Amino acid sequence: MKFINIGFGNMVAADRIITIVSPDSAPVKRLIQDAKDAGRVIDVSCGRRTRAVIITDSEHVILSAIQSETIANRLDTDSEDETEPE
C-alpha cells in the first residue's frame, strides 16, 4: 500500500483517493460543508489556508494546505515508481 504525503507529516493511502480538487468553487465549498455536518471532514491544514480538497472512496473529505497540483505530482511520481522494474 502506497501513501502520499499531504502536508505536515500527514499521509493518505494512494489507492483510496478518488479526486483532488481546488476548494475555490461553490460546489466544492458546499461539499465541504455537507461533509462537516456529517462528520466526514479531516482537516490536516494545521490552521493554514485550504489549498486542496481530497475526496476518498469512503466519502471522507480531507482538507490540505498543499496545492492540488503538488499532491497530484506526488501521486504520479509514486505510481511511476511502481511500474519501474528493480
Side-chain angles (χ1 to χ4, degrees):
M1 179 180 290
K2 295 287 183 178
F3 288 94
I4 303 297
N5 184 347
I6 57 171
F8 302 107
N10 298 295
M11 309 285 236
V12 66
D15 58 345
R16 303 291 304 258
I17 295 174
I18 299 296
T19 188
I20 305 168
V21 295
S22 172
D24 299 331
S25 70
V28 175
K29 289 179 182 178
R30 199 172 319 116
L31 182 124
I32 293 169
Q33 188 58 49
D34 291 345
K36 281 182 181 178
D37 294 343
R40 291 182 284 115
V41 169
I42 303 168
D43 188 355
V44 296
S45 62
C46 292
R48 299 207 174 143
R49 180 173 175 255
T50 299
R51 295 179 185 239
V53 178
I54 303 166
I55 301 170
T56 65
D57 59 354
S58 62
E59 297 183 3
H60 282 84
V61 176
I62 303 170
L63 308 178
S64 176
I66 305 296
Q67 290 187 349
S68 55
E69 294 86 6
T70 304
I71 296 171
N73 287 339
R74 291 176 183 176
L75 191 61
D76 286 341
T77 302
D78 281 355
S79 64
E80 288 173 5
D81 290 345
E82 288 178 9
T83 58
E84 292 179 9
E86 294 183 16

Coordinates of all heavy atoms in Angstrom, one line a residue:
M1 N 0.8 -1.2 0.0 CA 0.0 0.0 0.0 C 0.9 1.2 0.0 O 1.8 1.4 0.8 CB -0.9 0.0 1.2 CG -1.8 1.2 1.3 SD -2.9 1.2 2.8 CE -4.0 -0.1 2.4
K2 N 0.7 2.1 -0.9 CA 1.4 3.4 -1.1 C 0.7 4.5 -0.4 O -0.5 4.7 -0.5 CB 1.6 3.7 -2.5 CG 2.5 2.7 -3.3 CD 3.9 2.8 -2.9 CE 4.7 1.8 -3.8 NZ 6.1 1.9 -3.5
F3 N 1.5 5.3 0.3 CA 1.0 6.5 1.0 C 1.5 7.8 0.3 O 2.7 7.8 -0.1 CB 1.3 6.5 2.5 CG 0.6 5.5 3.2 CD1 1.1 4.2 3.5 CD2 -0.7 5.8 3.8 CE1 0.4 3.3 4.2 CE2 -1.4 4.8 4.5 CZ -0.9 3.6 4.7
I4 N 0.7 8.8 0.3 CA 1.1 10.1 -0.3 C 1.1 11.1 0.8 O 0.2 11.2 1.6 CB 0.1 10.5 -1.4 CG1 -0.1 9.5 -2.4 CG2 0.5 11.9 -1.9 CD1 1.1 9.2 -3.2
N5 N 2.2 11.9 0.9 CA 2.4 12.9 1.9 C 1.4 14.1 1.5 O 1.6 14.6 0.4 CB 3.8 13.4 1.9 CG 4.0 14.5 3.0 OD1 3.1 15.0 3.6 ND2 5.3 14.7 3.3
I6 N 0.5 14.5 2.3 CA -0.4 15.6 2.0 C -0.1 16.8 2.9 O -1.0 17.7 3.0 CB -1.9 15.1 2.1 CG1 -2.2 14.6 3.5 CG2 -2.2 14.1 1.1 CD1 -3.6 14.3 3.8
G7 N 1.0 16.9 3.5 CA 1.5 18.0 4.2 C 1.6 17.8 5.7 O 0.7 17.1 6.3
F8 N 2.6 18.4 6.3 CA 2.8 18.4 7.8 C 2.9 17.0 8.4 O 2.4 16.8 9.5 CB 1.7 19.2 8.5 CG 1.6 20.7 8.0 CD1 0.5 21.0 7.2 CD2 2.5 21.6 8.4 CE1 0.4 22.3 6.7 CE2 2.4 22.9 7.9 CZ 1.4 23.3 7.1
G9 N 3.5 16.1 7.6 CA 3.7 14.8 8.1 C 2.5 13.9 8.0 O 2.5 12.8 8.5
N10 N 1.4 14.3 7.4 CA 0.2 13.5 7.2 C 0.2 12.8 5.9 O 0.7 13.3 4.9 CB -1.0 14.5 7.3 CG -1.1 15.2 8.6 OD1 -1.3 14.5 9.6 ND2 -1.0 16.5 8.6
M11 N -0.3 11.6 5.9 CA -0.3 10.7 4.8 C -1.7 10.2 4.5 O -2.5 10.1 5.4 CB 0.6 9.5 5.0 CG 2.0 9.9 5.5 SD 2.9 10.5 4.2 CE 4.3 9.4 4.2
V12 N -1.9 9.8 3.2 CA -3.2 9.2 2.8 C -2.9 8.1 1.9 O -1.9 8.2 1.1 CB -4.2 10.2 2.2 CG1 -3.7 10.8 0.9 CG2 -5.6 9.7 2.1
A13 N -3.6 7.0 2.0 CA -3.4 5.9 1.1 C -3.7 6.2 -0.3 O -4.8 6.7 -0.6 CB -4.2 4.7 1.5
A14 N -2.8 6.0 -1.2 CA -2.9 6.5 -2.6 C -4.1 5.8 -3.3 O -4.8 6.4 -4.1 CB -1.6 6.2 -3.4
D15 N -4.3 4.5 -3.0 CA -5.4 3.8 -3.7 C -6.8 4.1 -3.2 O -7.8 3.7 -3.7 CB -5.1 2.3 -3.6 CG -5.0 1.7 -2.2 OD1 -4.8 2.6 -1.3 OD2 -5.1 0.5 -2.0
R16 N -6.9 4.9 -2.1 CA -8.2 5.3 -1.6 C -8.6 6.7 -2.1 O -9.8 7.1 -1.9 CB -8.1 5.4 0.0 CG -7.7 4.2 0.7 CD -8.7 3.1 0.6 NE -10.1 3.4 1.1 CZ -10.5 3.1 2.3 NH1 -9.8 2.4 3.2 NH2 -11.8 3.4 2.6
I17 N -7.7 7.4 -2.8 CA -8.1 8.7 -3.3 C -8.9 8.6 -4.6 O -8.6 7.9 -5.5 CB -6.8 9.5 -3.7 CG1 -6.0 9.8 -2.4 CG2 -7.1 10.8 -4.4 CD1 -4.7 10.4 -2.6
I18 N -10.1 9.3 -4.6 CA -10.9 9.4 -5.8 C -10.6 10.6 -6.6 O -10.4 10.5 -7.8 CB -12.4 9.4 -5.3 CG1 -12.8 8.2 -4.6 CG2 -13.3 9.6 -6.5 CD1 -12.7 6.9 -5.4
T19 N -10.5 11.8 -6.0 CA -10.2 13.0 -6.7 C -9.5 14.0 -5.8 O -9.6 14.0 -4.5 CB -11.5 13.6 -7.3 OG1 -11.2 14.7 -8.1 CG2 -12.4 14.1 -6.2
I20 N -8.8 14.9 -6.4 CA -8.1 16.0 -5.7 C -8.6 17.3 -6.4 O -8.4 17.4 -7.6 CB -6.6 15.9 -5.8 CG1 -6.1 14.6 -5.2 CG2 -6.0 17.1 -5.0 CD1 -4.7 14.3 -5.5
V21 N -9.3 18.2 -5.7 CA -9.8 19.4 -6.3 C -9.4 20.7 -5.6 O -9.0 20.6 -4.4 CB -11.3 19.3 -6.4 CG1 -11.8 18.2 -7.4 CG2 -12.0 19.2 -5.1
S22 N -9.6 21.8 -6.2 CA -9.3 23.1 -5.6 C -10.6 23.5 -4.8 O -11.7 23.2 -5.2 CB -9.1 24.1 -6.7 OG -9.0 25.4 -6.2
P23 N -10.4 24.1 -3.7 CA -11.5 24.5 -2.8 C -12.3 25.8 -3.2 O -13.1 26.2 -2.4 CB -10.9 24.6 -1.4 CG -9.5 25.1 -1.7 CD -9.1 24.4 -3.0
D24 N -12.0 26.3 -4.3 CA -12.5 27.7 -4.6 C -13.9 27.7 -5.2 O -14.6 28.7 -5.0 CB -11.5 28.3 -5.7 CG -10.1 28.5 -5.1 OD1 -10.0 28.7 -3.9 OD2 -9.2 28.5 -5.9
S25 N -14.4 26.7 -5.8 CA -15.7 26.8 -6.4 C -16.8 26.6 -5.4 O -16.6 25.9 -4.4 CB -15.8 25.7 -7.5 OG -15.9 24.4 -7.0
A26 N -18.0 27.1 -5.7 CA -19.1 27.0 -4.8 C -19.6 25.5 -4.6 O -19.9 25.2 -3.4 CB -20.3 27.8 -5.4
P27 N -19.6 24.6 -5.6 CA -20.0 23.3 -5.3 C -19.0 22.5 -4.4 O -19.5 21.7 -3.5 CB -20.0 22.6 -6.7 CG -20.2 23.7 -7.7 CD -19.5 24.9 -7.0
V28 N -17.7 22.8 -4.5 CA -16.8 22.2 -3.5 C -17.0 22.7 -2.1 O -16.9 22.0 -1.2 CB -15.3 22.4 -4.1 CG1 -14.3 21.8 -3.0 CG2 -15.1 21.7 -5.4
K29 N -17.2 24.0 -2.0 CA -17.5 24.6 -0.7 C -18.7 24.0 -0.1 O -18.8 23.7 1.1 CB -17.6 26.1 -0.8 CG -16.3 26.8 -1.1 CD -16.6 28.3 -1.2 CE -15.2 29.0 -1.6 NZ -15.4 30.5 -1.7
R30 N -19.7 23.7 -0.9 CA -21.0 23.1 -0.4 C -20.7 21.7 0.0 O -21.2 21.2 1.0 CB -22.0 23.1 -1.5 CG -23.4 22.9 -1.1 CD -24.5 23.1 -2.2 NE -24.2 24.3 -3.0 CZ -23.9 24.2 -4.3 NH1 -23.9 23.1 -4.9 NH2 -23.7 25.3 -5.0
L31 N -19.9 21.0 -0.8 CA -19.5 19.6 -0.5 C -18.7 19.5 0.9 O -19.0 18.6 1.7 CB -18.6 19.0 -1.6 CG -18.2 17.6 -1.4 CD1 -18.6 16.8 -2.6 CD2 -16.7 17.5 -1.2
I32 N -17.9 20.5 1.1 CA -17.1 20.5 2.4 C -18.1 20.8 3.5 O -18.0 20.1 4.6 CB -16.0 21.6 2.3 CG1 -14.9 21.3 1.3 CG2 -15.4 21.9 3.7 CD1 -14.0 22.4 1.0
Q33 N -19.0 21.7 3.4 CA -19.9 22.0 4.4 C -20.8 20.8 4.7 O -21.1 20.5 5.9 CB -20.8 23.2 4.1 CG -21.7 23.7 5.2 CD -20.8 24.0 6.5 OE1 -19.8 24.8 6.4 NE2 -21.2 23.5 7.6
D34 N -21.3 20.1 3.7 CA -22.1 18.9 3.9 C -21.3 17.8 4.6 O -21.9 17.1 5.5 CB -22.6 18.4 2.6 CG -23.7 19.3 1.9 OD1 -24.2 20.2 2.6 OD2 -23.9 19.1 0.7
A35 N -20.1 17.7 4.3 CA -19.2 16.7 4.9 C -19.0 17.1 6.4 O -18.9 16.2 7.3 CB -17.9 16.5 4.2
K36 N -18.8 18.4 6.7 CA -18.6 18.8 8.0 C -19.9 18.5 8.9 O -19.7 18.0 10.0 CB -18.4 20.3 8.1 CG -16.9 20.7 7.8 CD -16.8 22.2 7.9 CE -15.3 22.6 7.5 NZ -15.1 24.0 7.6
D37 N -21.0 18.7 8.3 CA -22.3 18.4 9.0 C -22.4 16.9 9.3 O -23.0 16.5 10.3 CB -23.5 18.9 8.2 CG -23.5 20.4 8.1 OD1 -22.8 21.1 8.9 OD2 -24.2 20.9 7.2
A38 N -21.9 16.1 8.4 CA -22.0 14.6 8.5 C -20.8 14.1 9.3 O -20.8 12.9 9.6 CB -22.1 14.0 7.2
G39 N -19.8 14.9 9.7 CA -18.7 14.4 10.4 C -17.7 13.6 9.6 O -17.0 12.8 10.1
R40 N -17.6 13.9 8.3 CA -16.7 13.2 7.4 C -15.5 14.1 7.0 O -14.8 13.7 6.1 CB -17.4 12.7 6.2 CG -18.4 11.6 6.5 CD -19.1 11.1 5.3 NE -20.1 12.1 4.8 CZ -20.1 12.8 3.7 NH1 -19.1 12.6 2.8 NH2 -21.0 13.7 3.4
V41 N -15.2 15.2 7.6 CA -14.1 16.1 7.2 C -12.9 15.8 8.1 O -13.0 15.6 9.3 CB -14.5 17.5 7.3 CG1 -13.3 18.4 7.2 CG2 -15.5 17.9 6.3
I42 N -11.7 15.7 7.4 CA -10.5 15.5 8.1 C -9.6 16.7 7.7 O -9.3 16.9 6.5 CB -9.8 14.2 7.7 CG1 -10.7 13.0 8.0 CG2 -8.4 14.1 8.4 CD1 -10.2 11.7 7.4
D43 N -9.4 17.6 8.6 CA -8.6 18.9 8.3 C -7.2 18.7 8.7 O -6.9 18.6 9.9 CB -9.3 20.0 9.1 CG -8.7 21.4 8.6 OD1 -7.7 21.4 7.9 OD2 -9.2 22.4 9.1
V44 N -6.3 18.6 7.7 CA -4.9 18.5 8.0 C -4.1 19.7 7.6 O -2.9 19.6 7.3 CB -4.3 17.2 7.4 CG1 -4.9 15.9 7.9 CG2 -4.4 17.2 5.9
S45 N -4.8 20.8 7.5 CA -4.2 22.1 7.1 C -3.4 22.8 8.2 O -2.7 23.8 7.9 CB -5.2 23.0 6.5 OG -6.2 23.4 7.4
C46 N -3.5 22.3 9.4 CA -2.8 22.9 10.6 C -3.1 24.4 10.7 O -2.2 25.2 11.0 CB -1.3 22.6 10.5 SG -1.0 20.9 10.7
G47 N -4.3 24.8 10.5 CA -4.7 26.2 10.6 C -4.4 27.1 9.5 O -4.6 28.3 9.5
R48 N -3.8 26.5 8.4 CA -3.5 27.3 7.2 C -4.6 27.3 6.3 O -5.6 26.6 6.4 CB -2.2 26.8 6.6 CG -1.0 26.9 7.6 CD 0.3 27.0 6.9 NE 1.3 27.2 7.9 CZ 2.5 26.7 7.9 NH1 2.9 26.0 6.9 NH2 3.4 27.0 8.8
R49 N -4.4 28.1 5.2 CA -5.5 28.2 4.2 C -5.6 26.8 3.4 O -4.5 26.2 3.1 CB -5.1 29.3 3.2 CG -6.0 29.4 2.0 CD -5.7 30.7 1.2 NE -6.5 30.8 0.1 CZ -6.2 30.5 -1.1 NH1 -4.9 30.1 -1.4 NH2 -7.0 30.5 -2.1
T50 N -6.8 26.4 3.2 CA -7.0 25.1 2.5 C -6.7 25.3 1.0 O -7.4 26.2 0.4 CB -8.4 24.6 2.7 OG1 -8.6 24.4 4.1 CG2 -8.7 23.3 1.9
R51 N -5.8 24.6 0.4 CA -5.5 24.7 -1.0 C -5.9 23.5 -1.8 O -5.8 23.6 -3.1 CB -4.0 25.0 -1.1 CG -3.6 26.3 -0.5 CD -2.2 26.6 -0.6 NE -1.9 27.8 0.1 CZ -1.3 28.9 -0.5 NH1 -1.0 28.8 -1.8 NH2 -1.0 29.9 0.2
A52 N -6.2 22.4 -1.2 CA -6.6 21.2 -1.9 C -7.6 20.4 -1.1 O -7.6 20.4 0.2 CB -5.4 20.3 -2.2
V53 N -8.6 19.9 -1.8 CA -9.6 19.0 -1.1 C -9.5 17.6 -1.8 O -9.6 17.5 -3.0 CB -11.0 19.6 -1.4 CG1 -12.1 18.7 -0.8 CG2 -11.1 21.0 -0.8
I54 N -9.2 16.6 -0.9 CA -9.1 15.3 -1.3 C -10.3 14.5 -0.9 O -10.7 14.5 0.2 CB -7.8 14.6 -0.7 CG1 -6.6 15.4 -1.0 CG2 -7.7 13.2 -1.1 CD1 -5.4 15.1 -0.2
I55 N -10.9 13.8 -1.9 CA -12.1 13.0 -1.7 C -11.7 11.6 -1.8 O -11.1 11.2 -2.8 CB -13.3 13.4 -2.6 CG1 -13.6 14.9 -2.4 CG2 -14.5 12.5 -2.4 CD1 -14.5 15.5 -3.4
T56 N -12.1 10.8 -0.8 CA -11.7 9.4 -0.7 C -12.9 8.5 -1.1 O -14.0 8.9 -1.1 CB -11.2 9.0 0.7 OG1 -12.2 9.1 1.6 CG2 -10.0 9.9 1.1
D57 N -12.6 7.2 -1.3 CA -13.6 6.3 -1.6 C -14.6 6.0 -0.5 O -15.7 5.5 -0.7 CB -13.0 5.0 -2.2 CG -12.1 4.3 -1.2 OD1 -11.8 4.8 -0.1 OD2 -11.7 3.2 -1.5
S58 N -14.2 6.3 0.7 CA -15.1 6.2 1.9 C -15.9 7.4 2.1 O -16.5 7.6 3.2 CB -14.3 5.9 3.1 OG -13.4 6.9 3.4
E59 N -15.9 8.4 1.2 CA -16.6 9.6 1.2 C -16.1 10.6 2.3 O -16.8 11.5 2.6 CB -18.1 9.4 1.3 CG -18.7 8.7 0.2 CD -20.2 8.5 0.3 OE1 -20.8 9.0 1.3 OE2 -20.8 7.9 -0.6
H60 N -14.9 10.4 2.8 CA -14.3 11.4 3.6 C -13.7 12.5 2.8 O -13.3 12.3 1.7 CB -13.2 10.7 4.5 CG -13.7 9.9 5.6 ND1 -14.1 8.6 5.5 CD2 -13.9 10.3 6.9 CE1 -14.5 8.2 6.6 NE2 -14.4 9.1 7.5
V61 N -13.7 13.7 3.3 CA -13.2 14.9 2.7 C -12.0 15.3 3.5 O -12.1 15.7 4.7 CB -14.3 16.0 2.6 CG1 -13.7 17.2 1.9 CG2 -15.5 15.4 1.8
I62 N -10.8 15.4 2.8 CA -9.6 15.8 3.5 C -9.2 17.1 3.0 O -9.1 17.4 1.8 CB -8.5 14.7 3.3 CG1 -8.9 13.3 3.7 CG2 -7.2 15.1 4.0 CD1 -8.0 12.2 3.3
L63 N -9.0 18.1 3.9 CA -8.6 19.4 3.6 C -7.1 19.6 3.9 O -6.6 19.3 5.0 CB -9.3 20.4 4.5 CG -10.8 20.3 4.5 CD1 -11.4 21.3 5.4 CD2 -11.4 20.4 3.1
S64 N -6.3 20.0 2.8 CA -4.9 20.1 2.9 C -4.4 21.5 2.6 O -5.0 22.2 1.7 CB -4.2 19.1 2.0 OG -2.8 19.2 2.0
A65 N -3.3 21.9 3.2 CA -2.7 23.2 2.8 C -1.7 23.1 1.7 O -1.2 24.2 1.2 CB -2.0 23.8 4.1
I66 N -1.5 21.9 1.2 CA -0.6 21.7 0.0 C -1.5 21.9 -1.3 O -2.6 21.4 -1.3 CB 0.0 20.3 0.0 CG1 0.7 20.1 1.4 CG2 0.9 20.1 -1.2 CD1 1.9 21.0 1.6
Q67 N -0.9 22.5 -2.3 CA -1.7 22.7 -3.5 C -2.0 21.4 -4.2 O -1.3 20.4 -4.1 CB -0.9 23.6 -4.5 CG -0.8 25.0 -4.0 CD -0.2 25.9 -5.1 OE1 0.4 25.5 -6.1 NE2 -0.3 27.2 -4.8
S68 N -3.2 21.4 -4.9 CA -3.6 20.1 -5.5 C -2.7 19.6 -6.6 O -2.5 18.4 -6.7 CB -5.0 20.3 -6.1 OG -5.1 21.4 -7.0
E69 N -2.0 20.5 -7.3 CA -1.0 20.1 -8.3 C 0.1 19.4 -7.7 O 0.6 18.4 -8.2 CB -0.5 21.3 -9.1 CG -1.6 22.0 -10.0 CD -2.4 23.0 -9.2 OE1 -2.0 23.3 -8.0 OE2 -3.4 23.5 -9.7
T70 N 0.6 19.9 -6.5 CA 1.7 19.2 -5.8 C 1.3 17.8 -5.4 O 2.1 16.9 -5.6 CB 2.1 20.1 -4.6 OG1 2.4 21.4 -5.1 CG2 3.3 19.5 -3.9
I71 N 0.1 17.7 -4.8 CA -0.3 16.3 -4.4 C -0.5 15.4 -5.6 O -0.1 14.3 -5.6 CB -1.6 16.5 -3.6 CG1 -1.4 17.3 -2.3 CG2 -2.2 15.1 -3.3 CD1 -2.7 17.6 -1.6
A72 N -1.0 15.9 -6.7 CA -1.2 15.1 -7.9 C 0.2 14.7 -8.5 O 0.3 13.5 -8.9 CB -1.9 15.9 -9.0
N73 N 1.2 15.6 -8.4 CA 2.5 15.2 -8.9 C 3.1 14.1 -8.0 O 3.8 13.2 -8.5 CB 3.4 16.4 -8.9 CG 3.1 17.4 -10.0 OD1 2.5 17.0 -11.0 ND2 3.5 18.6 -9.8
R74 N 2.9 14.2 -6.7 CA 3.4 13.2 -5.8 C 2.7 11.8 -6.0 O 3.3 10.8 -6.0 CB 3.1 13.6 -4.3 CG 4.0 14.7 -3.9 CD 3.7 15.2 -2.5 NE 4.5 16.4 -2.1 CZ 4.4 17.0 -1.0 NH1 3.5 16.6 -0.1 NH2 5.1 18.1 -0.8
L75 N 1.4 11.9 -6.4 CA 0.7 10.7 -6.7 C 1.2 10.1 -8.0 O 1.4 8.9 -8.1 CB -0.8 11.0 -6.8 CG -1.8 9.9 -6.9 CD1 -1.7 9.0 -5.7 CD2 -3.2 10.4 -7.1
D76 N 1.5 10.9 -9.0 CA 2.0 10.4 -10.3 C 3.4 9.8 -10.1 O 3.8 8.8 -10.7 CB 2.1 11.5 -11.3 CG 0.8 11.9 -11.9 OD1 -0.2 11.1 -11.7 OD2 0.6 13.0 -12.4
T77 N 4.3 10.5 -9.3 CA 5.6 10.0 -9.0 C 5.6 8.6 -8.4 O 6.3 7.7 -8.8 CB 6.4 11.0 -8.1 OG1 6.4 12.3 -8.8 CG2 7.8 10.5 -7.9
D78 N 4.7 8.4 -7.4 CA 4.6 7.1 -6.7 C 4.1 6.1 -7.7 O 4.6 4.9 -7.6 CB 3.7 7.2 -5.5 CG 4.5 7.8 -4.3 OD1 5.7 8.1 -4.4 OD2 3.8 8.0 -3.3
S79 N 3.2 6.4 -8.5 CA 2.6 5.4 -9.5 C 3.7 5.0 -10.5 O 3.7 3.9 -11.0 CB 1.3 5.8 -10.1 OG 1.6 7.0 -10.9
E80 N 4.6 5.9 -10.9 CA 5.6 5.6 -11.8 C 6.7 4.7 -11.2 O 7.2 3.8 -11.8 CB 6.3 6.9 -12.3 CG 5.5 7.7 -13.3 CD 6.1 9.1 -13.6 OE1 7.2 9.3 -13.2 OE2 5.4 9.8 -14.3
D81 N 6.9 4.9 -9.9 CA 7.9 4.1 -9.2 C 7.4 2.6 -9.1 O 8.2 1.7 -9.1 CB 8.0 4.6 -7.7 CG 8.8 5.9 -7.7 OD1 9.4 6.3 -8.7 OD2 8.7 6.6 -6.6
E82 N 6.1 2.4 -9.1 CA 5.6 1.0 -9.0 C 5.8 0.3 -10.3 O 6.0 -0.9 -10.3 CB 4.1 1.1 -8.8 CG 3.7 1.4 -7.4 CD 2.2 1.5 -7.2 OE1 1.4 1.0 -8.1 OE2 1.7 1.9 -6.1
T83 N 5.8 1.0 -11.5 CA 5.9 0.3 -12.8 C 7.3 0.1 -13.2 O 7.5 -0.7 -14.1 CB 5.2 1.2 -13.9 OG1 5.7 2.5 -13.9 CG2 3.7 1.3 -13.5
E84 N 8.3 0.8 -12.6 CA 9.6 0.6 -13.0 C 10.2 -0.7 -12.4 O 10.0 -1.0 -11.2 CB 10.5 1.7 -12.5 CG 10.2 3.0 -13.1 CD 11.1 4.2 -12.6 OE1 12.0 3.9 -11.8 OE2 10.8 5.3 -13.0
P85 N 10.9 -1.5 -13.3 CA 11.5 -2.8 -12.7 C 12.7 -2.5 -11.9 O 13.4 -1.5 -12.1 CB 11.9 -3.5 -14.0 CG 12.1 -2.4 -15.0 CD 11.1 -1.4 -14.7
E86 N 12.9 -3.3 -10.9 CA 14.0 -3.1 -9.9 C 15.2 -4.0 -10.3 O 15.1 -5.0 -10.8 CB 13.5 -3.4 -8.5 CG 12.5 -2.4 -8.1 CD 12.1 -2.6 -6.6 OE1 12.8 -3.3 -5.9 OE2 11.1 -2.0 -6.3

